[in-house]
Amino acid sequence: MWIMTPSHLLSFLEEGKVNISSCTLLVLDEADRMMAMGFEKTLRSISAPVRPDRQTLIFVNSRSREIGDLSECLLNDYLQVSIGHCKLVENQRVEQIVIICEKAQKCERLVALLHDILREREDKVIVFVETRLMADEMVIELRHRDWSVVGIHGAKTRDERQKALDAFKSGSSSILVLTDVAAQQLDVDRVRFVVHYDRPANADVYVNRVRRALTDQEWRTPFWLLTTRVTRKSPSLTF
């Protein structure tokens, strides 16, 4: 059994260090995330040398056209199993607020926003960032400004992630900084605010971010912090 990242497996294949031609089971976990990170060509390359009569399992959190194309390429006579809703449905309880600023002003605008929205003791906010490094830097910066904040990303140990999550759930920390990878296994409710400090890669990632904070009874407010450069690239805020 081999458990590897796509890039490492492809490197080993190219160097002749492994032979997977007799592999009978190929599993692509979080394939949508790997596709969003630009690994589509790599996934196709590592699948090619595997025997054609293999069993292939593809796990995704959200289905897109790209995932559909990958499935058609790698799967034969396949069965699709969906848990929950399969289509994106507009939620009338979500009020989106967009804040446009220069890149150098983003941190200050975030701090001003936190002062504005975290007024009640029970208020909480999830701040989404793109990378692990940004998550760590954000936690350090906000702690220097006396905010009770914790961060979770893929490089954290299981104990570290659980400790941070417990602090956020209990209310001892009112701010949780997350990457999209870490958020996929997040179990948090009663979070009123979501801040997209870094723009989501696509519409599916955006939906996955916002639904982490939704309940059936209350309104939720996602805030976008967009730089003028990003706004010029996507003036309609579509993906």
Side-chain angles (χ1 to χ4, degrees):
M1 177 186 295
W2 287 85
I3 302 176
M4 304 183 69
T5 60
S7 56
H8 279 92
L9 179 55
L10 181 60
S11 177
F12 280 12
L13 288 171
E14 292 174 343
E15 295 172 6
K17 293 182 178 180
V18 297
N19 184 343
I20 59 175
S21 60
S22 60
C23 177
T24 58
L25 176 62
L26 175 65
V27 179
L28 303 180
D29 191 21
E30 296 185 352
D32 52 336
R33 179 60 181 169
M34 291 190 287
M35 295 279 283
M37 296 172 66
F39 284 112
E40 178 179 0
K41 184 177 179 180
T42 303
L43 293 177
R44 294 176 184 266
S45 297
I46 63 178
S47 302
V50 185
R51 55 191 293 175
D53 61 340
R54 68 181 184 268
Q55 180 182 13
T56 304
L57 304 178
I58 299 178
F59 293 93
V60 298
N61 286 294
S62 57
R63 185 173 175 85
S64 62
R65 179 179 58 81
E66 291 77 13
I67 288 295
D69 292 342
L70 182 69
S71 300
E72 292 294 334
C73 175
L74 303 185
L75 305 177
N76 294 314
D77 191 24
Y78 63 89
L79 175 67
Q80 177 180 328
V81 179
S82 300
I83 301 175
H85 296 290
C86 299
K87 296 181 179 180
L88 299 182
V89 180
E90 181 181 3
N91 192 314
Q92 299 295 334
R93 293 177 291 105
V94 177
E95 177 187 14
Q96 302 185 67
I97 298 177
V98 179
I99 301 172
I100 299 175
C101 61
E102 296 296 334
K103 184 176 181 180
Q105 300 173 333
K106 282 185 73 174
C107 185
E108 295 301 327
R109 294 301 296 269
L110 173 63
V111 171
L113 176 62
L114 294 176
H115 278 292
D116 188 46
I117 63 179
L118 294 180
R119 296 182 177 181
E120 302 296 333
R121 182 183 180 89
E122 64 273 13
D123 284 341
K124 299 177 183 178
V125 58
I126 297 177
V127 180
F128 281 99
V129 296
E130 186 176 5
T131 66
R132 300 171 181 177
L133 177 61
M134 177 58 72
D136 288 336
E137 291 179 348
M138 180 69 68
V139 169
I140 293 173
E141 178 64 27
L142 292 179
R143 284 178 178 171
H144 283 167
R145 296 170 182 259
D146 296 326
W147 287 100
S148 57
V149 54
V150 291
I152 300 178
H153 55 66
K156 298 280 189 180
T157 66
R158 182 176 181 179
D159 289 342
E160 288 174 331
R161 293 196 299 269
Q162 190 60 52
K163 182 178 179 180
L165 190 57
D166 289 344
F168 186 65
K169 285 184 174 181
S170 68
S172 60
S173 292
S174 57
I175 304 170
L176 175 60
V177 180
L178 277 177
T179 60
D180 291 311
V181 172
Q184 291 181 0
Q185 298 179 345
L186 184 67
D187 181 19
V188 173
D189 58 8
R190 302 197 63 79
V191 179
R192 185 175 180 183
F193 302 106
V194 173
V195 176
H196 305 283
Y197 190 83
D198 289 326
R199 181 175 181 266
N202 53 54
D204 290 325
V205 172
Y206 167 74
V207 171
N208 286 332
R209 285 182 176 186
V210 175
R211 73 179 182 182
R212 308 290 172 184
L214 286 176
T215 65
D216 293 333
Q217 291 81 25
E218 302 179 22
W219 284 79
R220 292 295 178 261
T221 306
F223 290 88
W224 294 67
L225 281 173
L226 296 180
T227 64
T228 52
R229 180 181 179 184
V230 170
T231 306
R232 286 193 294 267
K233 288 184 177 180
S234 53
S236 62
L237 299 181
T238 58
F239 300 89

